[in-house]
Amino acid sequence: MAGRFIVLEGGDGVGKTTHIALLSSWLDAAGISHTVVREPGGTPLGEAIRQVVLNRTDLEFSPEAELLLILAARAALVREVIRPALLRGDTVIGDRFALSTLAYQSFGRGLDLDQVRLAIEVATGGLQPDLYVVLDLPVEESVERGRRDGQDLDRIEQEGEEFRQTIREAYLTLADSEPAVALVSAQGPLEEVQRRVQDLLSARLRGAFVRPTGDTRDVHAEQS
Ligand code: Z5A
């Protein structure tokens, strides 16, 4: 496939959505055609599943049911949005993908890691990102940011701080053991963190962004 697939990951409230918006502006300024997706969601089926998985606190979810709902949303997203975007040469920026499933449904909910991997494979047809960028932040700081925003907690966020700690540690473990995962500290001023992310993408995907013209010059070189 012509396009590149980059995914921002990390625990709740580490800044993924904010940094994806900034990355999108950066790519726009450089004339790089791109598509932004979020999980769960991004298709009519996926958004309906998102409502159920995050908002239906009145329902009982087994870990297996939670896994399969999230993967049903991903299957639709990959088939209907991500693969077509990559095929037309877009850079795809994802707000979460399979690494979230390993962190939350395996490390968090206790499902067997190999079985979760197999289920992911079925949902994605084996599609893997070129790079995962894991934003890492101490749990107290992400909780504080949420408090400052007056954030309503969704069903999974309501699991509490111990669960969040498990998820943070899961990402640190996965960053060590999974291919194509880079860890970036999300501590410090927004602009500084964004610069870290842009520097990482420029270094790791040097010359990889595909322009509509087929010109593959490095984005970062033109920005600086
Ligand atoms: N889930 C799962 O279990 N398994 C899966 O496979 C997948 C997902 C794909 C999706 O939630 C939920 O689904 C998620 C995992 C589960 N768990 N929960 N709960 P979501 O997409 O609705 O939300 P989220 O991804 O967990 O987090 P979020 O609330 O969207 O946060 P965020 O995107 O990481 O952060 P943000 O909104 O960009 O920033 C939070 C605040 O911090 C905001 O006010 C920013 O302005 C501020 N911010 C950002 N950076 C900074 C810096 N550097 N300094 C100061 N303040 C900052």
Side-chain angles (χ1 to χ4, degrees), residues 39 67-68 70-71 74-75 78 97-103 105-106 113-129 132 178:
E39 282 211 38
L67 170 74
L68 293 172
I70 286 168
L71 292 185
R74 180 167 308 144
V78 167
F97 194 65
L99 210 63
S100 283
T101 320
L102 300 180
Q105 278 63 52
S106 182
L113 192 59
D114 289 334
Q115 286 190 353
V116 173
R117 280 188 212 283
L118 259 177
I120 291 171
E121 177 92 13
V122 173
T124 61
L127 180 71
Q128 298 201 2
Y132 281 110
E178 294 292 307

Side-chain angles (χ1 to χ4, degrees), residues 201-221:
L201 294 187
S202 300
R204 293 285 287 266
L205 300 173
R206 203 153 196 88
F209 295 107
V210 177
R211 291 161 191 276
T213 57
D215 174 353
T216 56
R217 279 169 298 158
D218 175 58
V219 187
H220 188 249

Side-chain angles (χ1 to χ4, degrees), residues 8-22 38-41 50 53-54 66-67 70-71 73-74 95-106 109 116 120 135 137 141-142 144-146 148-149 151-159 163-164 167 171 185-194 196:
L8 265 71
E9 286 275 3
D12 312 333
V14 294
K16 297 176 296 298
T17 312
T18 307
H19 285 290
I20 286 173
L22 293 171
R38 71 159 179 186
E39 282 211 38
R50 181 184 177 89
V53 170
L54 298 186
E66 186 178 86
L67 170 74
I70 286 168
L71 292 185
R74 180 167 308 144
D95 191 335
R96 298 188 177 280
F97 194 65
L99 210 63
S100 283
T101 320
L102 300 180
Y104 284 81
Q105 278 63 52
S106 182
R109 301 298 197 200
V116 173
I120 291 171
L135 296 176
L137 191 68
E141 288 193 39
S142 60
E144 184 45 42
R145 288 181 187 177
R148 197 188 55 205
D149 290 349
Q151 179 194 34
D152 287 332
L153 298 182
D154 66 39
R155 192 183 62 83
I156 298 176
E157 283 161 345
Q158 288 174 13
E159 293 293 338
F163 187 77
R164 284 187 176 218
I167 299 302
Y171 276 115
S185 168
Q187 281 186 295
L190 190 56
E191 308 69 41
E192 215 172 273
V193 179
Q194 176 65 194
R196 283 177 209 142

Side-chain angles (χ1 to χ4, degrees), residues 73-92:
R74 180 167 308 144
L77 187 68
V78 167
R79 183 182 284 265
E80 294 171 30
V81 182
I82 299 179
R83 279 192 193 277
L86 292 172
L87 280 169
R88 63 175 182 267
D90 265 20
T91 290
V92 174

